[in-house]
Amino acid sequence: MDFKTLYGPVRSGRLGLSLGVDLLGKRICSMDCLYCEVGPTLAHTLQRLPYTPAKVVLEELSSWREQKLPTPEHITLGGLGEPCLNSDLPEIIVGARKLFPDVPVAVLTNSTLLCDPDVRRELAFAQVVLPSLDTLVEREFLAINRPCRGVVLSQIAVGLLDFRREYAGAINLEILLLQNINDTRENLALQKDFIAKLRPDRVDVVTMTRPGSSPLAKAADPQTLAAWREALKPVARLTKAPGQIQPRFAAETISKVAASELILNSLRRRPQTPDDLAAAIGVKNAQVRMVIDELLFQELIVPAKDFGDDFYRAVL
Ligand code: SF4
């Protein structure tokens, strides 16, 4: 089966081996972040629709299970935009949990819809929610996240606190810092107070590790990241990136065609190096390189050397 909504598994710093599910199908988001690794937002909206219908997602997950493809550590709803914009979200979460009862469902969100009680109720079906909140300073928010009309920073903060009160699962907050944009003392002081109220299960202070959508996006330096983590320690459980988790399948079971499909699907959602791909999919590095050479020849992928490393991305 040629998967349209599933990608990966990818090795995620926050979730280990993660099977991604794209709930949008296109670049549809309520934000247009400078650092977005899937490129500029094309439909900038808060409108909820079944962009990728539950039926399509669940058929693909069912096929993934039947083909005995890698069992991930998490099934992660995200993709080419904000997953909570998909109005089939509750059916997708519940269906995924039925198909993979031993694999927790995680949802990545930019938090913009958490002020909607319906969205909070739907998200409650997931075992892990990973909201992001890069800044609590209005001018920084507009500069880094470039929200669409109707998104209000103060409402996001209230929505997150309401969600914490209502939700029994794990909330893993992410703060992504960009140099000279939101790595300020003002933001740090506000985040410290906010996190003390929110009481997330985990806080990840991170920066870009892959090419972003704008040349204005520059990674924060390691000293700044270390200083933020230190400053937030008293109010948050700050987690280091998980170590090497071994994929739960044998590499020999992956045919060349299946490896090629997995790699192409994965690169459609996120630029990666051959080493990233080999570790996530569990095939030998040499096999990944052979597939990459073929995909380059077919002009289905291109190098993305923005970070000076050997990253590749799919031609969308
Ligand atoms: S990083 Fe996330 S929230 Fe920001 S534009 Fe990309 S998909 Fe949307």
Side-chain angles (χ1 to χ4, degrees):
M1 182 174 197
D2 183 15
F3 296 107
K4 301 268 187 296
T5 71
L6 306 187
Y7 57 98
V10 294
R11 184 160 299 288
S12 152
R14 295 185 284 171
L15 295 167
L17 197 67
S18 154
L19 175 61
V21 186
D22 175 17
L23 297 200
L24 287 310
K26 293 193 180 107
R27 286 291 295 118
I28 301 167
C29 195
S30 49
M31 289 179 168
D32 185 18
C33 304
L34 296 179
Y35 56 79
C36 186
E37 61 188 36
V38 288
T41 297
L42 299 178
H44 209 196
T45 183
L46 272 174
Q47 189 177 21
R48 300 191 76 205
L49 289 170
Y51 294 104
T52 304
K55 184 172 178 298
V56 175
V57 174
L58 298 178
E59 274 172 12
E60 291 200 0
L61 281 171
S62 175
S63 167
W64 186 278
R65 192 183 61 171
E66 275 160 27
Q67 290 181 54
K68 299 196 176 2
L69 288 167
T71 303
E73 311 287 330
H74 285 89
I75 292 172
T76 307
L77 309 187
L80 293 172
E82 168 51 43
C84 296
L85 288 173
N86 190 322
S87 51
D88 277 358
L89 184 69
E91 291 89 336
I92 293 170
I93 299 173
V94 171
R97 288 186 60 172
K98 280 190 188 146
L99 285 166
F100 290 89
D102 298 331
V103 181
V105 173
V107 184
L108 302 169
T109 175
N110 63 18
S111 312
T112 51
L113 283 99
L114 288 178
C115 51
D116 178 340
D118 288 341
V119 174
R120 296 199 299 271
R121 268 193 292 276
E122 294 170 15
L123 277 176
F125 292 118
Q127 287 104 324
V128 188
V129 175
L130 300 99
S132 61
L133 183 67
D134 299 328
T135 179
L136 283 152
V137 180
E138 183 72 25
R139 65 173 185 287
E140 296 177 5
F141 177 62
L142 298 178
I144 188 172
N145 299 121
R146 302 189 293 188
C148 71
R149 189 189 295 265
V151 174
V152 179
L153 179 57
S154 58
Q155 289 179 2
I156 292 178
V158 171
L160 269 164
L161 293 173
D162 286 343
F163 186 56
R164 170 76 292 175
R165 271 190 291 277
E166 298 161 6
Y167 179 58
I171 296 181
N172 297 346
L173 184 73
E174 179 184 277
I175 303 169
L176 188 144
L177 297 180
L178 290 185
Q179 203 177 85
N180 300 329
I181 298 187
N182 64 332
D183 58 349
T184 59
R185 284 187 189 179
E186 188 182 0
N187 186 23
L188 177 56
L190 291 170
Q191 293 275 14
K192 208 169 169 181
D193 288 349
F194 181 74
I195 289 168
K197 286 187 209 141
L198 183 67
R199 294 174 291 103
D201 295 80
R202 206 176 100 176
V203 178
D204 293 296
V205 181
V206 300
T207 191
M208 298 167 67
T209 54
R210 295 188 166 77
S213 76
S214 164
L216 296 173
K218 302 261 183 299
D221 59 61
Q223 294 81 356
T224 304
L225 289 175
W228 269 65
R229 288 172 183 153
E230 194 56 37
L232 293 177
K233 236 187 217 164
V235 288
R237 262 181 58 201
L238 294 157
T239 310
K240 291 186 188 137
Q244 288 295 97
I245 300 162
Q246 292 308 311
R248 291 191 230 151
F249 69 107
E252 309 80 69
T253 61
I254 297 286
S255 70
K256 195 174 159 198
V257 175
S260 180
E261 265 177 25
L262 289 175
I263 288 170
L264 182 58
N265 270 334
S266 197
L267 291 177
R268 281 195 179 120
R269 283 15 187 245
R270 166 193 270 204
Q272 287 164 87
T273 66
D275 288 348
D276 291 338
L277 291 161
I281 295 170
V283 296
K284 292 198 175 91
N285 208 298
Q287 189 179 358
V288 170
R289 290 196 182 266
M290 271 171 53
V291 170
I292 282 183
D293 285 346
E294 265 181 45
L295 294 174
L296 283 169
F297 179 73
Q298 293 168 34
E299 299 183 351
L300 293 171
I301 62 169
V302 288
K305 292 190 179 293
D306 319 33
F307 275 37
D309 210 334
D310 56 343
F311 279 90
Y312 294 90
R313 70 162 89 234
V315 175
L316 293 174

